[in-house]
Amino acid sequence: MLMDRAERLRPASALQQHYRAGMPQLGLYGLSENWLLKECGHLHWLAIAQAHGRALPEFADEAGHKSYAALTALHLHEAQLDAVTENATFSLAVRATSPGRAQHFSTQTLRTGTLRGARVELLSAFIRRAAGSNRSIVRAPVGGDSTAVEDRTLSDAALSLQARARVFRTGGGVGRLGLQPAHGGALRSAVFTPCPHNDFNGAGLLYFASFQALADRAELAWHGLRPALTVERELYFYGNIDPGESVRAELLAEREDGDEYAHWIRLSRCADGVRIADALTRKRRVA
């Protein structure tokens, strides 16, 4: 369904939300990274709707199929999640644009008081199921997208994340966060079955924030509890699973430097071995 001139995508949009930290937002050592990613994903979706001039984030491709914005890449950085404490006020400011090829990009800044507590960059594309299974996901561009960008800084950040995602999608990705893949294959592996009631979203997809949770569950299985907070995380998404399927997590690289450590975990479907995501994480230890 083509959009009329009034609905055509504007090159940039902005949102801001304010919060008071309570138990839903907090984790063991500060603001919950998983909550933050879910909220940023929600705001990203709302920003796309705003950019299209829509009151609700409801989209269909030109053939009338319902479409969703699936994340293809995510970069959390400059994170100081322990700066958000119980009852603290904080905000998320969102700037979003379209870098082209039916993709959407947002950069979201977390602030508490005068401190910038994190930056989160999200890149997404519209998708739909081609045959009823989450294995059959295909791109489903929504009409009316524009490649025009007014904010040069926003455009450069979008193109940078696009380029990194392309490298990982084609099987590269060496050198991020100071990590180098080990010779001879994975260092460790573990298998998990995501919970249909907790890890899947309303669209029936394994939620993007659940990929982060799987990486952390794998770290816990391999190393036990290491009190730490994420400083930086990169997630690159390639596929999905159906409810009831299992995921294999493989540790491709890791390093430790005093109060900081990092690792690269690859997630694959157990049923057919297809790679569905790469997760690169840098954390700092806390007392």
Side-chain angles (χ1 to χ4, degrees), residues 3 9-11 13 44-45 47-52 59 68-73 95-107 121-126 139-146 158 161-162:
M3 306 172 74
L9 178 69
R10 293 187 289 274
S13 57
H44 179 84
W45 190 219
I48 292 173
Q50 182 189 80
H52 281 271
F59 294 91
Y68 292 97
L71 289 185
T72 57
R95 293 159 61 222
T97 191
S98 171
R101 291 201 295 265
Q103 292 188 317
H104 293 84
F105 172 83
S106 72
T107 180
E121 296 169 354
L122 306 174
L123 184 67
S124 68
F126 280 109
R139 294 290 180 98
V142 171
D145 286 1
S146 168
L161 187 56
Q162 269 187 326

Side-chain angles (χ1 to χ4, degrees), residues 151-236:
D151 189 321
R152 189 70 244 175
T153 301
L154 202 61
S155 175
D156 289 345
L159 293 174
S160 176
L161 187 56
Q162 269 187 326
R164 298 202 303 275
R166 192 176 304 115
V167 169
F168 275 90
R169 184 172 292 277
T170 56
V174 173
R176 297 297 301 170
L177 307 189
L179 294 164
Q180 297 292 339
H183 297 293
L187 300 171
R188 300 170 184 260
S189 67
V191 173
F192 303 93
T193 302
C195 175
H197 305 293
N198 295 319
D199 296 319
F200 287 76
N201 62 15
L205 299 166
L206 182 65
Y207 199 31
F208 81 95
S210 297
F211 289 76
Q212 173 260 321
L214 286 170
D216 278 355
R217 289 172 197 161
E219 178 191 327
L220 180 65
W222 295 328
H223 296 292
L225 179 62
R226 298 192 291 187
L229 279 164
T230 300
V231 175
E232 186 169 10
R233 174 117 46 191
E234 297 184 19
L235 288 163
Y236 300 98

Side-chain angles (χ1 to χ4, degrees), residues 231-248:
V231 175
E232 186 169 10
R233 174 117 46 191
E234 297 184 19
L235 288 163
Y236 300 98
F237 307 92
Y238 322 116
N240 214 276
I241 64 170
D242 289 321
E245 290 192 304
S246 296
V247 173
R248 180 178 300 278

Side-chain angles (χ1 to χ4, degrees), residues 1-3 7-10 13 41-70 102 104 124-129 140-145 203:
M1 180 173 62
L2 295 175
M3 306 172 74
E7 292 179 316
R8 288 189 182 276
L9 178 69
R10 293 187 289 274
S13 57
H42 175 60
L43 295 179
H44 179 84
W45 190 219
L46 294 181
I48 292 173
Q50 182 189 80
H52 281 271
R54 300 190 178 200
L56 295 174
E58 295 180 345
F59 294 91
D61 65 13
E62 294 183 359
H65 300 112
K66 189 172 181 63
S67 299
Y68 292 97
H104 293 84
S124 68
F126 280 109
I127 58 95
R128 66 174 177 85
R129 293 180 186 85
V142 171
D145 286 1

Side-chain angles (χ1 to χ4, degrees), residues 18-27 30-31 82-91 112-113:
H18 297 271
Y19 310 86
R20 186 176 297 277
M23 293 304 106
Q25 293 81 27
L26 295 171
L31 186 68
D82 50 348
V84 179
T85 57
E86 187 175 353
N87 297 320
T89 56
F90 65 99
S91 64
T112 180

